[in-house]
């Protein structure tokens, strides 16, 4: 009977489902994907040159973990993402909050930001290489350029949608106009800001790989590019899987952070 | 112990917007509220009741006329004029106790003083056991009770209330009215209260100001002298019903004019 009700709950829009069912469904989809992969790779449906067997990828992971190159490349990439993302966020969060709160800041920045925002980051990679060379700074610049303007616009939107009467109530309780961003806009938008960070850190990874494919001497993107030249498709798969795993960890990290520092928001 | 001031509104008008889209919300409205008085405004939707409260709170700038609270002109919003809004405006990131503490904290009161205020006003509105809850965990009526406690904890000279119970069911609304009267009896703040509900107006008010349709002006002022405390079945009193009928008539003839 409880099985039946668990099943029927899953058919109701927005109705929460049990933790057990939730885990089962997630595992099931993973199993399907991995199963499909094994089927394609083992049954000679796709040549091994293009699609390695999952076991082969695991074995390669073990080998590269032993010789340390997997870790050094992963750390190299993660480091660039972290620096680029932090530099971008530290400026974008406060500036975005002021942009969404003060019409003058918005009027000043909107035209420029919306122009730059639609330029593909990739088109700036040659320029950055010319200006800053192919060191760490260049890859950091690509990430900052790729994430900053998106963060700015999304955080400004969050600040703009703070209910006007919430701010009015704060005024009638003695909040000064000059401290409205600190006392009201910032705490009120905190859950939304954390969501913006969670989404944009994923984009930071995308831009990183782009930057590493073009110019780098270490990192997961560089590892993939080198593997492509040597037809080592298992290493390419490994690099992709590492990025995915790091993405999953970051995502869960941000979700946890949100629950810890913004427990009021559901 | 608590402060309380008069409100004078003389020949006040308010125009929203510019050019073709301009709306004249208030047109030369005048009224006075005495210190410690419970004044209620009723009027048709869109006649400018909220606008008037926003002007007194300093949240809008008036187009013409003059408003004073305790003899002082209005220069922007300030903690001397507390306000309870029709929409829920508790700070979602603060607990019930922290919401009530917000104003005293902005005024720089010490921790012990703040705690005493929080304890007192949460007790007043019967929510002492919910002090560590977040607003999202409260019902609508509880949220408005916290909003009242939050406004009073600042010891404002006047309390402005814009249809604070408008979104509540009638049972909760009655509970809230009794609670508000009890709290007011303890603090004796000057209250200016806006409502759509005529029964609520008579039950609460020392005087009822009936407004005309937009642009808003005062159509009639009725003195309500039923003895307090006003208990439940007062609404069946013939004098009460007569007054209710009179106000309904005033508002209905308003509809006919449009
Ligand atoms: N910010 C604004 N900009 C332009 N017009 C406005 C604004 N606020 C209110 N108005 C207009 O001013 C008039 C009075 O509005 P107000 O909200 O004061 O009415 P109200 O009496 O409180 O109505 P209700 O009983 O429906 O709450 C309305 O016609 C409304 O459309
Ligand atoms: Mg209104």
């Amino acid at each position: 009977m409880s099985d039946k009700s668990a099943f029927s709950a899953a058919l109701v829009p927005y109705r929460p489902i049990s933790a057990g069912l939730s885990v089962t469904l997630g595992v099931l989809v993973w199993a399907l994907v991995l199963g499909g992969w094994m089927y394609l790779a083992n049954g000679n449906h796709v040549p091994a040159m293009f699609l390695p067997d999952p076991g082969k990828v695991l074995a390669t992971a073990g080998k590269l973990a032993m010789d340390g190159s997997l870790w050094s490349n992963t750390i190299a990439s993660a480091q660039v993402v972290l620096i680029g993302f932090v530099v971008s966020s530290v400026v974008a969060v406060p500036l975005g909050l002021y942009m969404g709160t003060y019409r003058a800041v918005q009027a000043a920045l909107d035209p420029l930001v919306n122009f730059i925002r639609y330029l593909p980051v990739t088109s700036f990679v040659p320029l950055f290489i010319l200006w800053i060379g192919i060191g760490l700074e260049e890859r950091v610049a690509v990430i900052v350029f790729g994430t900053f303007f998106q963060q700015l616009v999304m955080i400004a939107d969050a600040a703009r949608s703070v209910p006007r009467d919430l701010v009015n109530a704060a005024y009638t309780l003695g909040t000064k106009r000059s401290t409205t961003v600190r006392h009201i806009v910032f705490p009120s938008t905190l859950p939304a800001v954390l969501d913006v960070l969670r989404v944009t850190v994923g984009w930071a990874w995308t831009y990183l790989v782009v930057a590493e494919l073009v110019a780098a001497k270490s990192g997961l993107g560089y590892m993939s590019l080198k593997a492509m030249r040597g037809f080592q498709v298992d290493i390419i798969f490994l690099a992709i899987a590492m990025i995915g795993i790091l993405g999953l960890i970051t995502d869960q990290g941000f979700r946890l952070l949100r629950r810890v520092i913004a427990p009021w928001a559901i | 112990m608590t402060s309380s001031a008069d409100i004078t509104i003389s020949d006040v008008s308010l125009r929203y917007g510019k050019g073709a889209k301009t709306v004249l919300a208030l047109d030369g409205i005048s009224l006075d509220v005495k210190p410690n008085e419970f004044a209620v405004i009723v009027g048709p939707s869109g006649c400018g009741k909220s606008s008037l409260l926003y002007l007194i709170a300093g949240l809008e700038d008036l187009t013409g006329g003059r408003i004073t609270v305790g003899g002082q002109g209005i220069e922007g919003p300030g903690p001397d004029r507390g306000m309870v809004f029709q929409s829920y405006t508790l700070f979602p990131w603060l607990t019930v106790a922290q919401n009530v503490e917000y104003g005293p904290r902005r005024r720089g009161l010490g921790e012990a003083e703040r705690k005493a205020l929080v304890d007192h006003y949460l007790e007043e509105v019967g929510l002492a056991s919910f002090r560590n809850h977040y607003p999202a965990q409260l019902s609508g009526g509880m949220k408005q009770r916290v909003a009242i406690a939050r406004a009073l904890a600042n010891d404002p000279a006047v309390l402005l209330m814009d249809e604070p119970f408008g979104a509540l069911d009638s049972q909760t609304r009655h509970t809230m009215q009794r609670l508000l009267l009890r709290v007011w009896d303890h603090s004796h703040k000057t209250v200016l209260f806006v409502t759509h509900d005529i029964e609520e107006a008579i039950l609460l008010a020392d005087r009822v100001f009936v407004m005309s349709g937009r642009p808003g002006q005062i159509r009639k002022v009725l003195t309500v002298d039923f003895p307090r405390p006003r208990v439940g079945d007062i609404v069946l009193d013939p004098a009460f019903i007569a007054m209710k009928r009179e106000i309904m008539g005033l508002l209905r003839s308003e509809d006919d004019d449009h």
Side-chain angles (χ1 to χ4, degrees):
Chain A
M1 190 213 122
S2 79
D3 276 2
K4 189 160 169 236
S5 66
F7 182 70
S8 58
L11 298 178
V12 181
Y14 307 113
R15 171 82 56 87
I17 57 172
S18 73
L21 183 60
S22 157
V23 171
T24 310
L25 289 172
V27 169
L28 194 72
V29 169
W30 261 112
L32 276 175
V33 170
L34 289 177
W37 178 11
M38 280 169 139
Y39 170 77
L40 288 175
N42 289 324
N44 272 337
H45 300 282
V46 180
M49 197 183 110
F50 296 126
L51 190 66
D53 177 74
K56 178 90 196 303
V57 175
L58 266 182
T60 308
K63 205 176 80 203
L64 298 189
M66 291 301 283
D67 76 12
S69 63
L70 178 61
W71 305 128
S72 63
N73 282 319
T74 304
I75 288 169
S77 288
Q79 188 191 7
V80 178
V81 168
L82 191 69
I83 296 174
F85 184 71
V86 168
V87 167
S88 173
S89 308
V90 159
V91 184
V93 172
L95 193 59
L97 292 180
Y98 277 93
M99 195 174 155
T101 309
Y102 290 97
R103 288 301 136 86
V105 182
Q106 186 188 346
L109 296 181
D110 243 359
L112 180 66
V113 169
N114 282 321
F115 171 73
I116 298 178
R117 196 159 73 93
Y118 286 101
L119 302 175
V121 185
T122 42
S123 62
F124 281 82
V125 172
L127 191 62
F128 287 157
I129 294 177
L130 195 65
W131 283 350
I132 4 191
I134 60 163
L136 176 106
E137 296 83 357
E138 184 264 337
R139 275 163 284 157
V140 168
V142 171
I143 290 179
V144 171
F145 198 80
T147 48
F148 177 76
F149 297 99
Q150 312 291 342
Q151 288 181 332
L152 198 61
V153 169
M154 288 161 81
I155 288 167
D157 273 347
R160 210 171 298 118
S161 61
V162 172
R164 215 44 37 87
D165 274 347
L166 202 69
V167 178
N168 283 335
Y171 288 153
T172 66
L173 292 165
T175 310
K176 294 194 182 68
R177 286 184 166 145
S178 57
T179 60
T180 304
V181 171
R182 174 152 62 102
H183 288 310
I184 304 300
V185 179
F186 174 66
S188 169
T189 53
L190 186 58
V193 166
L194 288 173
D195 283 338
V196 169
L197 296 183
R198 182 166 63 83
V199 170
T200 51
V201 75
W203 302 348
W205 274 102
T206 310
Y207 301 130
L208 169 84
V209 173
V210 169
E212 284 180 347
L213 285 177
V214 178
K217 289 208 169 61
S218 62
L220 294 168
Y222 165 76
M223 187 171 116
S224 290
L225 191 74
K226 219 173 57 172
M228 183 195 77
R229 295 196 181 119
F231 294 104
Q232 295 163 298
V233 71
D234 49 336
I235 296 185
I236 300 181
F237 267 70
L238 177 63
I240 293 173
M242 278 314 287
I243 295 171
I245 290 167
L246 288 174
L248 200 64
I249 293 172
T250 327
D251 197 79
Q252 291 300 320
F254 269 112
R255 282 176 202 273
L256 184 71
L257 187 68
R258 192 185 195 273
R259 261 198 305 268
V260 172
I261 69 176
W264 70 90
I266 315 135
Chain B
M1 174 198 138
T2 64
S3 57
S4 182
D6 64 329
I7 305 171
T8 67
I9 295 164
S10 10
D11 200 23
V12 162
S13 42
L14 172 64
R15 185 181 290 282
Y16 285 111
K18 291 192 183 75
K21 281 200 195 149
T22 175
V23 175
L24 186 61
L26 295 167
D27 186 17
I29 187 173
S30 297
L31 67 99
D32 293 304
V33 184
K34 299 170 207 146
N36 307 331
E37 186 176 29
F38 201 124
V40 175
I41 298 180
V42 294
S45 187
C47 73
K49 306 182 291 297
S50 297
S51 299
L52 188 62
L53 293 196
Y54 277 62
L55 283 174
I56 300 167
L59 300 169
E60 290 284 353
D61 295 323
L62 40 72
T63 311
R66 182 168 166 79
I67 298 180
T68 64
V69 172
Q72 298 282 310
I74 307 291
E75 273 163 35
D80 56 320
R81 285 148 290 143
M83 183 143 169
V84 178
F85 296 77
Q86 174 167 9
S87 58
Y88 302 125
T89 57
L90 294 184
F91 304 128
W93 60 93
L94 299 179
T95 62
V96 165
Q98 289 167 336
N99 263 282
V100 177
E101 199 184 18
Y102 181 90
R105 190 183 276 275
R106 287 289 85 79
R107 286 187 297 145
L109 295 191
E111 192 171 339
E113 242 176 316
R114 295 201 308 259
K115 186 172 180 314
L117 283 169
V118 170
D119 290 347
H120 174 72
Y121 284 105
L122 283 185
E123 195 65 48
E124 278 279 276
V125 300
L127 287 175
S129 58
F130 285 87
R131 55 184 305 132
N132 294 322
H133 284 59
Y134 284 108
Q137 299 168 297
L138 305 180
S139 70
M142 289 159 107
K143 283 180 197 169
Q144 292 304 61
R145 271 143 76 188
V146 179
I148 293 170
R150 182 177 71 171
L152 288 174
N154 243 353
D155 191 24
V158 301
L159 182 59
L160 310 167
M161 305 185 83
D162 190 5
E163 301 194 47
F165 311 145
L168 307 177
D169 63 88
S170 66
Q171 190 60 45
T172 313
R173 184 185 269 257
H174 287 306
T175 316
M176 296 291 289
Q177 290 159 357
R178 278 196 300 276
L179 178 134
L180 177 61
L181 282 179
R182 199 185 65 231
V183 172
W184 176 70
D185 196 47
H186 295 167
S187 71
H188 265 276
K189 295 275 170 218
T190 310
V191 176
L192 187 53
F193 186 106
V194 165
T195 182
H196 264 118
D197 182 334
I198 300 170
E199 217 163 75
E200 179 170 83
I202 306 173
L203 202 63
L204 297 175
D206 291 322
R207 282 189 298 161
V208 177
F209 296 84
V210 183
M211 280 178 78
S212 63
R214 203 185 75 213
Q217 285 172 328
I218 298 300
R219 184 170 178 126
K220 180 145 194 189
V221 185
L222 296 96
T223 302
V224 187
D225 41 22
F226 298 113
R228 295 179 188 271
R230 295 174 187 164
V231 286
D233 51 7
I234 192 179
V235 297
L236 302 174
D237 189 303
F240 190 102
I241 294 170
M243 184 170 273
K244 191 173 161 183
R245 185 169 291 129
E246 182 181 0
I247 297 174
M248 279 170 86
L250 287 164
L251 293 177
R252 188 168 312 116
S253 66
E254 221 16 83
D255 284 347
D256 297 343
D257 295 349
H258 285 74

